[in-house]
Each structure stands twice: as C-alpha cells, then as structure tokens.
Amino acid sequence: QLQLQESGPGLVKASETLSLTCSVSGGSISSSTYYWAWIRQPPGKGLEWIGSVHYSGSTYYKSSLKSRLTISVDTSKNQLSLKLSSVTAADTAVYYCARPGVVPAADWRGESWFDPWGQGTQVTVSS
Amino acid sequence: DIVMTQSPDSLAVSLGERATINCKSSQSVLYSSNNKNYLTWYQQKPGQPPKLLIYWASTRESGVPDRFSGSGSGTDFTLTISSLQAEDVALYYCQQYYSTPITFGQGTRLEIK
C-alpha cells in the first residue's frame, strides 16, 4: 500500500526558506507517469495546489508562487522536495504531498485527482 | 483559472437523512471529446488529509460506501449522501482537473443536526 509522509521543520522565520520532504513508501515515484503534487491548507481555510513534479524532474507551479518555489524529486531516495523562499505569515499552512490518480491516456488533459495524500505537516511562519 | 464554488458553506442534517452538497465551476469541466466531467470529490475529517470519494463526477472510489454518489455535468455538480451516518461528519471539497491550475471549492462543513 502506497504511503506518503511529509517532514520538515514546523517553525520557520519570516523571510527565510521553508524546506519540506515527502517520503514515498510501498511503491516507486517512478511508477507514476503523471505529476505528483504539493498542496497546502492554511489554518481554517481550504485547499490550495501549489506545484507538481514528474519523476523526470519536470515541474510546474502556481503562478503566484513561481518566483519563490522550487520542487524537485530524488528517485534514488523515492522522495519529493519543496523549497519556498522568503516566507511570510501567509505561507503558514499544513503542507501535503499527494499522488496523482491514474487517468487513462485517452482521457488525459494534463491534470488528475489525487490519491493518496500524506498526513500533512504543519508549518508556521514566525515573525 | 477555473473558480469552484460550493454551497452551502455548512450543512446540518439528521442521522439517516439525505445530505446534498453543490459545486459550481466558473466554466465547463465537461470534455466534449470523451463526454467526461473532470470533477472529483474529497472528504476531510479533522486532523486527517483529504480522502478521495468520487472522480469523473460520478465514479465512486473503491471502498467508498454506496450511500455516497456524485452527479451533474458541465458546470453544476452534486455530492449526495443518501442516509447520513455519524462517521460522515467532515469537510467536503470538490476539485476540477479539467485545466491547470487545478482548483478546489472552498469546502462544505457537514454536521449532525
């Protein structure tokens, strides 16, 4: 059974860089031909997709975060990574990684649903 | 970006009664080439990540109880719980995967009346 687990410092100072890792077990990142995602959820708010990465290293990001965000993949460690620079209080959230659902090639439009998700890791930006 | 709007924001339903949550997209998520709606529903319980319930607007994920059903097409969609159980208390989100960026509804909180 595929499992995802996010990890990283729970507290980051404003203006510094947030770094998170998503460790995948029970399956290989390389087994999915689609893009794995990072999604965040600010306290008491809804879900926000922030970026996606393919096992080849190809990425794409939410436009408003593009200048601050770097997502990468390490297939040898079966891990995804996220780095968000110059953080502010608005970046305080639970950060999730998630596996893309299997969309048949004939139906592929570039995106997917997500299943499963990691348990999430809380990140708080302090001033 | 496609804006997803759910209604209501919160809902209280008696045990055993029907619960209905709506999701409206700012543009159609129906792909004419395959006649499929690129719309999914998740359930999120406190302290847990979202759990996939339904994809293609109406296809129930394996293991999801059949009291959960999805319907709708184009821009208007509905998640129905036919007979509310105590364990269904949660937040529910719709998400479109028709185009990048994927976007979510703001969520609907479902409670017991």
Side-chain angles (χ1 to χ4, degrees):
Chain A
Q1 181 181 356
L2 190 78
Q3 292 187 318
L4 293 77
Q5 181 65 59
E6 304 87 349
S7 60
L11 192 62
V12 181
K13 292 183 179 179
S15 80
E16 296 188 344
T17 296
L18 179 167
S19 296
L20 299 175
T21 297
C22 171
S23 299
V24 179
S25 59
S28 171
I29 287 176
S30 304
S31 67
S32 175
T33 58
Y34 304 134
Y35 284 71
W36 299 68
W38 283 96
I39 295 163
R40 68 182 182 181
Q41 186 170 32
K45 295 188 177 181
L47 300 162
E48 177 189 27
W49 169 82
I50 59 175
S52 294
V53 61
H54 188 263
Y55 74 84
S56 65
S58 175
T59 57
Y60 57 104
Y61 305 132
K62 184 178 176 74
S63 56
S64 60
L65 296 173
K66 194 173 182 179
S67 63
R68 300 193 291 128
L69 183 61
T70 302
I71 294 175
S72 60
V73 60
D74 187 332
T75 54
S76 66
K77 295 181 178 179
N78 222 26
Q79 290 179 339
L80 314 174
S81 295
L82 175 153
K83 293 185 186 298
L84 184 63
S85 64
S86 304
V87 296
T88 70
D91 296 311
T92 293
V94 175
Y95 285 75
Y96 296 100
C97 55
R99 182 187 70 173
V102 179
V103 176
D107 299 325
W108 180 247
R109 285 184 53 85
E111 295 293 355
S112 178
W113 60 86
F114 297 100
D115 178 63
W117 298 49
Q119 281 297 311
T121 187
Q122 172 71 51
V123 176
T124 301
V125 177
S126 63
S127 57
Chain B
D1 299 1
I2 298 178
V3 177
M4 308 298 290
T5 304
Q6 292 180 227
S7 62
D9 289 333
S10 63
L11 178 64
V13 174
S14 300
L15 289 172
E17 296 299 306
R18 178 185 300 262
T20 301
I21 298 170
N22 301 300
C23 175
K24 187 175 184 67
S25 56
S26 61
Q27 63 189 76
S28 177
V29 298
L30 173 63
Y31 188 33
S32 57
S33 295
N34 59 11
N35 202 37
K36 288 185 175 181
N37 288 283
Y38 286 59
L39 188 287
T40 190
W41 288 97
Y42 300 96
Q43 175 193 65
Q44 185 180 31
K45 296 182 178 180
Q48 296 184 20
K51 171 190 172 185
L52 177 68
L53 294 177
I54 286 169
Y55 52 96
W56 298 127
S58 61
T59 300
R60 198 180 304 115
E61 170 69 345
S62 176
V64 173
D66 61 7
R67 64 180 180 273
F68 290 90
S69 64
S71 62
S73 185
T75 61
D76 292 280
F77 301 91
T78 300
L79 175 69
T80 301
I81 307 172
S82 60
S83 178
L84 189 70
Q85 305 300 303
E87 61 265 32
D88 301 334
V89 170
L91 276 164
Y92 292 85
Y93 293 94
C94 60
Q95 175 222 318
Q96 64 80 19
Y97 49 101
Y98 183 86
S99 66
T100 302
I102 62 154
T103 47
F104 296 88
Q106 80 277 17
T108 294
R109 184 176 303 278
L110 178 58
E111 300 173 330
I112 305 293
K113 184 186 291 183

